[in-house]
């Protein structure tokens, strides 16, 4: 599972692992892949610094990166309070009524929500970068497409590669024009924000669109056989996110949520705007059903929806209200049926990859004889 890109970055396997958990990111890099820490939840720079310090101490000198959620266009003078004021009272009441229907307790007095989508804000993301560029990160990825030009220039000045996610060949070409180094072709099957095109179609389209830039395949990948397929389609590696949620190093807040993930099949996810206002694949729950019901008020655009439901999501997770309990996850959840260490995941990936390559070699050998 080695490619030109993985060799250039000094990693053993062309497996890039996105995760919100520092312990998982470090374990991915130690296992021979490339760990990428998701920064969207870090609204306080000191918290990000603390976790990057931890990764630096536990990564055994192996490379790692950071993933931010940063809009390409800057919006001046908009604060979180300004955005909060735009949320209609009718939507706030819908949240209140839905939580009451399922008996979700209030947070304790003075207890703040532990989950807020604020990393999309210009200044929050820039504060994250001010911290990150003091560390020897080797990759900066942006989940909202190409970051601003000055951020790309700053990364390149520090020999940091820049990656951007794309859900279509058109998006990928825009990233290439912006000076991106790596395009992540994220298929419909992926967890979190994702587009409408499946990985088998999307990957070769993006590879052709941005050649000779390296492409990482993402979405629905969770076995070595699928890694081999991605490389056969022209990708120089894979970008895996959902697969790490049920690893023993992950820090999911709820044992019941882990149980739901382990029990879920590949058909138990849905693309819903319930979490952030943009279509994001996640476990289907009675919470997503309520927001997707035509009888309801409908979701708000990003970032209003994320701010609206932040406290509700924290309450659902804290009190483990099972009918409403969910998380972003891809269709690969159907293969996530046991808790394993990150190293065990890599062992399975390498075995499956070798098996797939041997199979293709046999087929090619027989074809040559014919």
């Amino acid at each position: 599972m080695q490619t030109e890109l993985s060799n250039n970055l000094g990693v053993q396997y062309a497996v890039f692992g996105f995760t919100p958990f520092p312990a998982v990111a470090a374990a991915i890099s130690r296992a021979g892949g490339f760990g990428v820490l998701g920064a969207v939840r870090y609204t306080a720079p000191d918290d990000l610094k603390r976790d990057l310090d931890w990764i630096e101490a536990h990564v055994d000198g192996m490379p790692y990166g950071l993933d931010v959620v940063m809009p390409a266009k800057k919006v001046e003078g908009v604060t979180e309070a300004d955005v909060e004021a735009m949320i209609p009272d009718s939507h706030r009441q819908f949240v209140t009524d839905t939580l009451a229907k399922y008996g979700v307790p209030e947070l304790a007095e003075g207890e703040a929500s532990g989950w807020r989508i604020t990393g999309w804000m210009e200044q929050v993301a820039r504060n994250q970068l001010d911290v990150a560029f003091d560390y020897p990160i080797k990759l900066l990825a942006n989940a909202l497409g190409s970051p601003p030009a000055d951020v790309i220039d700053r990364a390149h000045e520090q020999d940091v590669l820049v990656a951007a996610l794309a859900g279509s060949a058109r998006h990928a070409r825009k990233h290439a024009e912006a000076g991106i180094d790596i395009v992540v072709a994220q298929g419909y099957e992926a967890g979190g924000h994702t587009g409408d095109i499946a990985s088998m179609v999307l990957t070769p389209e993006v590879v052709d669109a941005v050649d000779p830039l390296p492409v990482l395949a993402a979405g629905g990948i969770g076995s070595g056989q699928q890694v081999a397929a991605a490389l056969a389609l022209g990708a120089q590696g894979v970008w895996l996110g959902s697969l790490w949620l049920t690893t023993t190093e992950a820090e999911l807040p709820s044992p019941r949520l882990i149980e739901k993930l382990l029990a879920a099949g590949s058909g138990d996810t849905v693309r819903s705007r319930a979490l952030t206002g943009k279509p994001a694949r996640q476990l289907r729950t009675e919470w997503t059903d309520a927001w997707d019901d035509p009888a309801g008020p409908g979701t708000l655009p990003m970032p209003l929806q994320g701010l609206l439901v932040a406290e509700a999501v924290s309450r659902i997770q804290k009190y483990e209200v099972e009918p409403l309990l969910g998380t972003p996850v891809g269709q690969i959840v159907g293969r996530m049926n046991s808790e394993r260490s990150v190293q065990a995941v890599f062992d399975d990936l390498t075995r499956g990859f070798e098996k797939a390559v041997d199979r293709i070699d046999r087929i090619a050998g027989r074809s040559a004889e014919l």
Side-chain angles (χ1 to χ4, degrees):
M1 292 194 293
Q2 293 179 330
T3 65
E4 181 181 356
L5 177 61
S6 63
N7 290 334
N8 288 342
L9 285 168
V11 296
Q12 185 176 1
Y13 304 120
V15 174
F16 294 71
F18 163 81
T19 174
F21 307 123
V24 176
I28 290 169
S29 291
R30 289 198 308 271
F34 191 101
V36 182
L37 178 67
V40 71
R41 67 191 179 100
Y42 293 99
T43 56
D46 286 347
D47 291 342
L48 178 59
K49 183 180 186 304
R50 177 202 63 215
D51 283 355
L52 288 176
D53 282 339
W54 191 94
I55 290 176
E56 188 67 21
H58 292 83
V59 82
D60 293 348
M62 302 305 295
Y64 60 93
L66 190 75
D67 178 278
V68 297
V69 180
M70 190 174 196
K73 296 182 180 180
K74 185 174 181 178
V75 180
E76 298 281 0
V78 177
T79 67
E80 185 176 332
D82 294 332
V83 177
E84 289 263 18
M86 299 169 63
I87 298 173
D89 290 340
S90 59
H91 282 72
R92 295 186 186 278
Q93 189 62 49
F94 180 76
V95 170
T96 299
D97 293 344
T98 303
L99 295 178
K101 176 181 177 181
Y102 291 92
V104 183
E106 298 275 356
L107 294 177
E109 185 176 352
E111 183 177 0
S113 166
W115 183 94
R116 293 184 76 78
I117 294 293
T118 54
W120 58 269
M121 295 182 70
E122 174 78 13
Q123 194 54 52
V124 173
R126 287 187 178 275
N127 289 343
Q128 293 168 350
L129 295 177
D130 287 341
V131 172
F133 283 133
D134 286 336
Y135 292 81
I137 62 171
K138 297 300 182 184
L139 176 70
L140 172 66
N142 189 30
L144 284 183
S146 304
D150 68 295
V151 172
I152 297 175
D153 291 342
R154 184 179 178 187
H156 288 164
E157 288 170 1
Q158 298 191 211
D159 295 323
V160 175
L161 296 179
V162 181
L165 275 65
S168 71
R170 178 175 61 85
H171 293 155
R173 280 189 287 267
K174 288 184 176 181
H175 297 339
E177 293 167 0
I180 294 298
D181 304 295
I182 302 168
V183 176
V184 181
Q186 180 170 278
Y188 171 83
E189 307 95 325
H193 296 134
T194 185
D196 300 312
I197 305 173
S199 297
M200 183 64 75
V201 174
L202 179 65
T203 301
E205 284 187 351
V206 171
V207 168
D208 290 343
V210 302
D211 183 59
L213 287 184
V215 173
L216 300 177
I221 301 173
S223 70
Q225 292 89 333
Q226 291 168 309
V227 176
L231 300 190
L233 292 173
Q236 285 209 29
V238 294
W239 177 274
L240 309 183
S242 298
L243 194 63
W244 316 110
L245 289 174
T246 52
T247 56
T248 53
E249 293 89 346
E251 302 162 20
L252 284 177
S254 164
R256 289 186 181 177
L257 179 55
I258 296 173
E259 292 173 2
K260 291 187 75 170
L261 287 169
L262 296 176
S266 56
D268 292 328
T269 68
V270 63
R271 285 174 75 240
S272 172
R273 298 177 184 269
L275 190 62
T276 68
K278 291 185 67 175
R281 186 171 297 284
Q282 54 203 282
L283 280 180
R284 182 176 181 177
T285 65
E286 293 187 32
W287 177 255
T288 62
D289 285 350
W291 282 105
D292 295 338
D293 189 338
T299 56
L300 297 170
M302 188 180 191
L304 300 181
Q305 182 71 17
L307 293 173
L308 168 66
V309 304
E311 181 180 318
V313 171
S314 291
R315 289 165 59 185
I316 291 166
Q317 290 181 347
K318 176 177 180 177
Y319 298 110
E320 296 189 298
V321 184
E322 190 165 350
L324 306 180
L325 190 61
T327 185
V329 69
Q331 291 180 331
I332 198 62
V333 70
R335 294 183 66 96
M336 295 159 49
N337 48 26
S338 65
E339 290 189 79
R340 300 175 292 166
S341 68
V342 168
Q343 183 61 60
V345 171
F346 269 89
D347 292 342
D348 286 347
L349 290 173
T350 53
R351 283 193 295 266
F353 182 84
E354 291 168 358
K355 182 178 180 180
V357 171
D358 288 345
R359 183 186 301 118
I360 295 300
D361 285 344
R362 290 196 302 271
I363 294 172
R366 285 195 293 270
S367 298
E369 293 174 3
L370 292 174

